[in-house]
């Protein structure tokens, strides 16, 4: 119900504007979050039926700094059909290594504990949007 | 000794390794203590030859709290950040030179953004830390971020983050824990002074800096600080660049003086205290005149030498022999205990250089696991001091050659030169100098080469291989130089010191 309301409001506000962010903060926090621990990852990513995009990033990586806002935007547009979990690879090195992260940034789509697909490196917004849309579609099957 | 839980390291081995069945009575074939240049090279080479390897790396924070990731001194607080800051300072000079070459840049009052430089340097270092970890994972080297200490000659004891004590056994153990900067035993040294461990991530501008120590660390730091616009003073206890060729060392000091870097010769510090305005008051005295002085600085950087990190290893439990704070090894890096070896800065009496540690580590791993008999050759190791005019050398200093061969049996050829690029911006060529130390007889084998000038490391590297191949003066003279370069000056050496002729060139090519 809350979702429908938001969607209506978003559509209305979108008219005449090129870019729009969801302004309901609490809902956004559930969809986009920074992983705090391995337990947090297990709970919110591995055990999630909703597909989750895991954004493996590093604070010292410039392309990561460019990618994160782009993917946040795009996940926001998906309005709940896919979530975003951000993992700082220095804070959670073992986790990153377990997922074979070498170069960053890496986006990994997970659903029910399984990796569906991944994208390595910074891409432009259209490419990311298409990739996310495809991931959402694949997850629904 | 209190009782503690003894858990086999198997419980710490991640799930992906559980398939491996222990082939021997030991948990591992090789444990390496230290994830720096020597340790990592040894560990990676060993796995290439089928060994099961565990590598420990741990960084004890400095007194002001600085710490860093895996990779050792070179990557984090040594060669890499040093070269980057050296480059930063050279680029500052280049901006001024660019004006002479016609670039419309405003080179008045240019100032570096120290925070931005530090951030860029640290970002690079962190990316190298990560690549190192990925490499260890890819090569299947087990890695633990904790200190390892000897429990006995085949056993290492450690306490990882979870707080539980573990022991792990290995057939061979290689100690590659390296060293850390020394602090003087004077009031205020640790509370108010920093070292090379801290400067590359220093969160404030260094400002007016006192660099205590005139080894290459101190001189390089003073030079890049000057190049970045700060005001360094170098306090020298006795001589500059101990162990290096005297003439070249004095030339280097003169070059720094020409660049307005202050020197306090034959002085030692007595105390450091913080004034009410936050600046540091350093009291020192001159050991020649006995005069006592003091001066105020923003930063005090200790560069008085490095000590080996034997203190937390509990070497007594294995019976490993040490000398001062280093481990004693023979020509095959073996300690007095048959299965324990050491490589890198921790070993006594060998050059403390990354490439030395890397090659020694690799050769050791090959001897242990690939049946090789090849030993490390520690002689004729080329090295470079990265000051604005760099100094690089390979082989003997003039004094060493005189001592080993006798002054009548050697010939020293030398000359000042003028790099082509220096003319237009009118850069000082006063200290662009090189010399070759050779035997006087026969084809005149080259014993040592010394070069001061731009990109000295690049110039000397090839000559190091030539020297190792038995380079003679005859061959050098018959080598056609590449023009215009500074390296070609080695092929143009004709004036001997013995002749007394003026080594300053009048013109360029003839």
């Amino acid at each position: 119900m809350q979702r429908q309301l938001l969607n209506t409001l978003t559509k209305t506000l979108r008219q005449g504007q090129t870019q729009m962010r969801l302004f309901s903060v609490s809902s956004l926090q559930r969809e986009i979050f920074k992983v705090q621990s391995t337990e947090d990852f297990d709970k919110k990513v591995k055990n999630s039926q909703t597909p989750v995009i895991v954004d493996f990033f590093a604070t010292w990586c410039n392309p990561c700094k460019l990618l994160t806002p782009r993917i946040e935007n795009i996940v926001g547009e998906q309005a709940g059909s896919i979530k975003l979990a951000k993992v700082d690879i220095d804070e959670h090195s073992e986790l990153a290594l377990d997922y074979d992260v070498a170069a960053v940034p890496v986006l990994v789509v997970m659903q029910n504990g399984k990796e569906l697909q991944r994208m390595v490196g910074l891409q432009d917004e259209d490419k990311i949007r298409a990739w996310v849309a495809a991931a959402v579609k694949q997850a629904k099957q | 000794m209190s009782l503690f839980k003894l858990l086999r390291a198997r419980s710490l081995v991640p799930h992906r390794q559980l398939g491996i069945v222990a082939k021997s009575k030991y948990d591992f074939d090789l444990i390496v203590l230290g994830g720096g240049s020597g340790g990592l090279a040894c560990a990676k080479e060993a796995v290439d030859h089928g060994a099961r390897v565990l590598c420990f790396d741990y960084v004890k924070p400095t007194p002001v709290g600085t710490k860093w990731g895996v990779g050792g001194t070179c990557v984090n607080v040594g060669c890499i950040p040093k070269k980057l800051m050296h480059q930063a300072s050279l680029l500052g000079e280049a901006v001024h030179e660019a004006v002479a070459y016609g670039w419309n840049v405003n080179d008045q009052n240019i100032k570096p953004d120290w925070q931005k430089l530090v951030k860029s340097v640290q970002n690079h270092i962190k990316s190298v830390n990560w690549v190192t970890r990925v490499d260890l994972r890819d090569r299947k080297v087990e890695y633990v971020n904790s200190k390892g200490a000897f429990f006995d000659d085949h056993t290492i004891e450690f306490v990882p983050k979870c707080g539980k004590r573990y022991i792990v056994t290995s057939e061979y153990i290689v100690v590659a824990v390296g060293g850390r900067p020394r602090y003087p035993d004077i009031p205020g040294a640790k509370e108010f002074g920093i070292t090379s461990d801290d400067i590359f991530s220093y969160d404030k501008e260094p400002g007016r800096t006192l660099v205590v120590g005139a080894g290459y660390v101190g001189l390089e730091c003073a030079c890049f600080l000057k190049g970045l616009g700060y005001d360094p003073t170098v306090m020298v206890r006795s001589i500059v660049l101990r162990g290096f060729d005297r003439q070249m060392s004095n030339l280097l000091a003169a070059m720094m003086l020409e660049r307005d870097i202050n020197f306090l010769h034959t002085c030692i510090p007595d105390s450091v205290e913080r004034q009410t305005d936050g600046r540091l008051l350093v009291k020192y005295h001159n050991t020649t005149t006995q005069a006592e002085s003091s001066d105020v600085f923003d930063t005090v950087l200790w560069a008085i030498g490095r000590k080996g990190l034997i203190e937390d290893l509990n070497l007594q439990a294995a019976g490993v022999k040490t000398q001062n704070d280093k481990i004693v090894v023979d020509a095959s890096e073996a300690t007095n205990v048959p299965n324990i070896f050491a490589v890198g800065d921790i070993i006594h009496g060998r050059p403390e250089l990354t490439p030395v540690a890397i090659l020694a580590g690799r050769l050791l791993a090959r001897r242990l696991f690939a049946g090789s008999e090849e030993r490390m050759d520690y002689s004729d190791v080329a090295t470079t001091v990265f000051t604005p005019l760099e100094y690089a050398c390979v082989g003997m200093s003039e004094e060493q050659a005189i001592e080993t061969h006798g002054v009548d049996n050697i010939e020293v050829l030398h000359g000042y030169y003028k790099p082509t690029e220096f003319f237009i911006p009118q850069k000082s060529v006063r200290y662009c100098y090189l010399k070759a130390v050779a035997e006087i007889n026969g084809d005149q084998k080259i014993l040592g080469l010394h070069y001061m000038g731009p990109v000295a490391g690049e110039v000397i590297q090839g000559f190091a291989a030539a020297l190792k191949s038995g380079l003679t003066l005859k061959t050098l003279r018959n080598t056609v130089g590449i023009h215009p370069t500074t390296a070609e000056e080695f092929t143009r050496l004709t004036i001997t010191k013995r002749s007394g002729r003026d080594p300053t060139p009048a013109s360029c090519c003839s």
Side-chain angles (χ1 to χ4, degrees):
Chain A
M1 179 60 186
Q2 198 183 22
R3 174 86 36 235
Q4 279 175 302
L5 251 166
L6 268 166
N7 280 344
T8 319
L9 280 163
T10 314
K11 277 196 205 118
T12 319
L13 279 157
R14 259 212 185 117
Q15 286 160 8
Q17 275 180 303
T18 45
Q19 198 172 27
M20 167 66 196
R21 286 190 76 103
L22 285 172
F23 58 92
S24 169
V25 174
S26 56
S27 163
L28 206 64
Q29 266 174 0
R30 279 204 293 276
E31 285 163 13
I32 300 176
F33 55 93
K34 187 159 177 266
V35 171
Q36 302 297 317
S37 63
T38 338
E39 294 76 33
D40 196 32
F41 185 82
D42 286 343
K43 197 173 87 177
K44 295 193 189 148
V45 179
K46 278 170 111 167
N47 297 335
S48 172
Q49 283 190 325
T50 320
V52 183
I53 297 176
V54 185
D55 175 9
F56 288 99
F57 72 95
T59 52
W60 39 260
C61 158
N62 284 328
C64 299
K65 293 200 176 95
L66 295 170
L67 179 68
T68 298
R70 283 183 203 176
I71 187 67
E72 278 179 348
N73 249 6
I74 291 163
V75 164
E77 286 168 9
Q78 289 296 327
S81 53
I82 196 160
K83 296 195 227 178
L84 180 67
K86 296 185 279 191
V87 177
D88 181 328
I89 63 173
D90 288 324
E91 283 174 17
H92 310 286
S93 297
E94 289 297 339
L95 180 62
L97 289 170
D98 280 343
Y99 281 89
D100 277 319
V101 173
V104 279
V106 178
L107 297 176
V108 179
V109 181
M110 305 267 304
Q111 188 180 33
N112 290 321
K114 284 228 200 83
E115 174 178 332
L116 298 181
Q117 56 171 299
R118 69 169 58 196
M119 183 170 75
V120 179
L122 176 67
Q123 314 286 345
D124 62 39
E125 218 170 310
D126 293 327
K127 273 224 181 85
I128 303 173
R129 195 172 278 118
W131 181 79
V132 170
V136 169
K137 200 163 155 206
Q138 186 189 3
K140 284 210 175 94
Q141 287 158 1
Chain B
M1 189 173 71
S2 57
L3 277 171
F4 55 88
K5 259 193 249 170
L6 297 182
L7 275 165
R8 280 288 165 196
R10 229 166 274 126
S11 57
L12 264 183
V13 173
H15 304 295
R16 60 185 176 275
Q17 286 244 337
L18 277 174
I20 294 175
V21 174
K23 311 181 256 193
S24 74
K25 59 175 181 160
Y26 301 111
D27 296 318
F28 288 93
D29 301 315
L30 173 67
I31 285 179
V32 178
L33 298 176
S37 305
L40 292 178
C42 186
K44 291 186 216 175
E45 184 76 21
V47 292
D48 278 353
H49 297 291
R52 294 162 307 145
V53 182
L54 170 63
C55 179
F56 286 91
D57 187 68
Y58 184 78
V59 178
K60 219 194 234 180
T62 70
V64 297
T66 313
K67 46 188 190 166
W68 49 90
V70 71
T73 297
C74 171
V75 167
N76 294 286
V77 288
C79 331
I80 303 297
K82 175 266 293 286
K83 190 85 193 282
L84 296 175
M85 295 221 162
H86 171 58
Q87 177 68 358
S89 83
L90 288 178
L91 287 170
E93 267 180 55
V95 174
H96 296 299
E97 291 170 44
V99 175
Y101 276 93
W103 285 97
N104 283 327
V105 283
N106 178 8
D107 71 327
Q108 296 308 303
N109 302 315
I110 53 168
K111 266 186 53 101
D113 181 340
W114 174 261
Q115 319 280 16
K116 186 169 177 191
L117 172 61
V118 166
K119 194 98 219 283
S120 302
V121 168
Q122 289 305 313
N123 281 350
H124 174 67
I125 291 171
K126 290 194 179 116
S127 77
V128 177
N129 293 142
W130 177 252
V131 167
T132 306
R133 286 221 54 194
V134 172
D135 199 26
L136 286 173
R137 191 265 324 261
D138 287 348
R139 295 212 199 195
K140 303 201 186 342
V141 175
E142 280 306 321
Y143 161 74
V144 175
N145 180 218
S146 100
K147 277 190 285 192
F150 282 91
F151 183 74
D152 67 38
D153 58 346
H154 282 277
T155 312
I156 298 293
E157 170 192 10
F158 64 102
V159 184
K161 286 193 190 81
C162 60
K164 291 200 285 222
R165 264 192 155 92
Y166 289 88
I167 62 165
V168 63
T169 61
S170 175
E171 187 174 358
Y172 298 109
I173 299 176
V174 172
V175 183
V177 297
R180 292 290 286 269
R182 281 183 205 282
Y183 286 80
D185 189 13
I186 61 172
K190 289 199 175 138
E191 301 92 295
F192 305 119
I194 60 168
T195 67
S196 57
D197 280 354
D198 307 295
I199 188 69
F200 301 114
S201 54
Y202 206 41
D203 55 5
K204 17 186 232 269
E205 287 193 86
R208 185 155 194 265
T209 307
L210 176 66
V211 176
V212 180
Y216 71 86
V217 175
L219 298 185
E220 286 175 351
C221 285
C223 285
F224 74 66
L225 287 173
K226 182 71 185 177
L228 291 169
Y230 302 111
D231 176 18
T233 300
V234 180
M235 186 179 285
V236 186
R237 183 182 61 182
S238 58
I239 58 171
V240 165
L241 285 180
R242 183 178 297 281
F244 285 80
D245 185 279
R246 272 309 87 213
Q247 178 200 11
M248 301 305 291
S249 303
N250 291 332
L251 218 61
L252 196 135
M255 179 268 300
M256 289 173 68
L257 209 60
E258 188 185 49
R259 284 158 179 270
D260 294 323
I261 295 173
N262 305 309
F263 281 86
L264 292 169
H265 286 285
T266 65
C267 289
I268 54 177
D270 296 311
S271 69
V272 184
E273 42 190 273
R274 198 184 284 287
Q275 299 180 151
T276 43
D277 64 356
R279 303 184 80 201
L280 300 171
L281 176 69
V282 179
K283 294 194 179 131
Y284 60 95
H285 68 275
N286 188 318
T287 54
T288 317
T289 65
Q290 303 309 319
E292 288 187 2
S293 305
S294 68
D295 205 343
V296 182
F297 300 93
D298 298 305
T299 307
V300 174
L301 182 87
W302 309 116
I304 58 173
R306 296 174 67 83
K307 61 179 205 300
L309 283 180
I310 56 170
E311 58 203 21
D312 296 322
L313 292 173
N314 195 23
L315 288 166
Q316 312 88 279
V320 174
K321 199 170 123 206
T322 61
Q323 189 170 337
N324 300 332
D325 46 32
K326 302 275 178 79
I327 294 178
V328 178
V329 297
D330 66 15
S332 57
E333 286 82 33
T335 66
N336 56 311
V337 181
N339 67 303
I340 300 176
F341 300 81
V343 287
D345 286 6
I346 196 65
I347 60 185
H348 183 265
R350 305 284 162 80
E352 289 176 23
L353 297 165
T354 277
V356 170
I358 289 176
L359 187 53
R362 285 201 187 126
L363 292 174
L364 173 62
R366 279 179 220 158
R367 289 197 305 273
L368 293 177
F369 299 107
S372 163
E373 294 200 352
E374 198 187 340
R375 288 178 171 186
M376 176 70 186
D377 180 4
Y378 288 95
S379 64
D380 296 331
V381 172
T383 180
T384 300
V385 181
F386 291 93
T387 42
L389 270 191
E390 299 171 10
Y391 165 43
C393 57
V394 61
M396 292 189 187
S397 66
E398 199 173 325
E399 305 85 70
Q400 279 172 326
I402 292 174
E403 205 188 303
T404 51
H405 290 63
V407 69
D408 293 326
N409 294 322
I410 63 157
E411 187 82 273
V412 181
L413 292 97
H414 69 156
Y416 288 89
Y417 63 93
K418 297 177 183 168
T420 310
E421 302 90 335
F422 281 34
F423 288 105
I424 289 178
Q426 293 185 293
K427 260 178 97 153
S428 167
V429 298
R430 198 152 159 215
Y431 300 105
C432 291
Y433 174 86
L434 72 167
K435 69 178 179 184
V437 181
E439 287 176 352
I440 202 164
N441 295 312
D443 287 344
Q444 296 186 273
K445 177 162 180 273
I446 302 284
L447 302 167
L449 293 170
H450 301 261
Y451 167 97
M452 186 160 325
V455 295
E458 311 290 0
V459 168
I460 286 288
Q461 181 66 88
F463 285 108
L467 201 100
K468 250 184 141 68
S469 312
L471 179 68
T472 61
L473 197 55
K474 182 167 175 214
T475 305
L476 196 55
R477 286 222 177 95
N478 282 324
T479 305
V480 177
I482 304 171
H483 185 73
T485 64
T486 53
E488 66 173 312
E489 297 296 330
F490 275 113
T491 65
R492 300 181 61 216
L493 283 169
T494 46
I495 298 174
T496 63
K497 276 197 178 178
R498 186 172 267 114
S499 69
R501 279 163 55 205
D502 181 5
T504 315
S507 64
C508 166
C509 316
S510 58

